[in-house]
Amino acid sequence: MNCKFIKKMFFFIFLLLMIIGCSNNTYKWESTQVAINNSYKLQTGDIIIKDKLITDPISWLGHSSVMISDTHIGDFPMPGSDYYTISVRAWLYEPDRKVIVLRYPQFNQQFKEAFLKNVEKYGHGKYRTSFFKNNDTDFYCSKFVWFLFSKTAQDLGYNLDLDSNNGPIVFPYDFLNSKNLKQVIL
């Protein structure tokens, strides 16, 4: 086989896995309007997963972000875009999307303080895909979320991996099967 064919096959398989990635969870998806109406229940550190939209290639993998305050999200939105913060209500305003909100139950005051220091330190730059999730310079939506939690736990002296399949890449739906997260009922 030639190298070009192998590269094409690898790319096709990778793309297929990204599109059809699934999750064996029992979480209830809520409309973004329900999430907006109940945004007062959200807290710093909550992870919000947006569902996949097959009609929009950018959202084939879903999307995830994290609450960096009780009212704002820190986000790496898409390739070529800079990291930004936005109010959770504005971020959720997509009428055709559904969301799940997840919370790390051990997110106490000590974790929160270390977490916010890491948001300040790593919340910058442009969206860049990386096959190494421990790299602290390249971030995309779900890797940023995963990295913040992993690094914060490490800073506090323990290991935490919210990536349910422990792969080299973390996708938004990988959080859904994490044994360390619980759904926030909206």
Side-chain angles (χ1 to χ4, degrees), residues 91-115:
W91 189 81
L92 286 167
Y93 189 75
E94 279 187 87
D96 296 333
R97 298 292 289 266
K98 301 240 184 241
V99 296
I100 290 177
V101 179
L102 302 172
R103 184 172 290 157
Y104 177 54
Q106 285 73 43
F107 200 98
N108 57 25
Q109 189 61 34
Q110 181 185 23
F111 195 96
K112 181 178 180 178
E113 289 171 10
F115 178 86

Side-chain angles (χ1 to χ4, degrees), residues 117-177:
K117 284 180 185 175
N118 284 324
V119 168
E120 187 68 30
K121 183 174 182 178
Y122 298 104
H124 55 78
K126 282 196 178 298
Y127 183 113
R128 285 184 291 218
T129 305
S130 170
F131 289 100
F132 305 101
K133 66 183 179 186
N134 288 314
N135 178 325
D136 67 358
T137 58
D138 300 332
F139 293 108
Y140 51 92
C141 68
S142 49
K143 183 194 169 196
F144 181 64
V145 173
W146 176 88
F147 184 86
L148 287 175
F149 280 88
S150 177
K151 177 71 171 121
T152 300
Q154 182 182 21
D155 292 348
L156 296 175
Y158 66 99
N159 291 322
L160 176 63
D161 189 352
L162 300 181
D163 180 3
S164 63
N165 68 5
N166 299 312
I169 299 174
V170 59
F171 296 107
Y173 277 39
D174 289 341
F175 297 124
L176 297 177
N177 289 325

Side-chain angles (χ1 to χ4, degrees), residues 2-3 19 38-39 52 55 63 66-67 73 76-77 84 88 96 108 118 123 132 137 147 155-156 160 173 179-180:
N2 67 32
C3 188
I19 293 169
N38 291 288
S39 62
K52 300 174 184 184
T55 58
H63 188 64
V66 66
M67 299 289 293
I73 288 207
F76 280 90
Y84 74 115
V88 68
D96 296 333
N108 57 25
N118 284 324
F132 305 101
T137 58
F147 184 86
D155 292 348
L156 296 175
L160 176 63
Y173 277 39
K179 63 185 183 314
N180 296 303

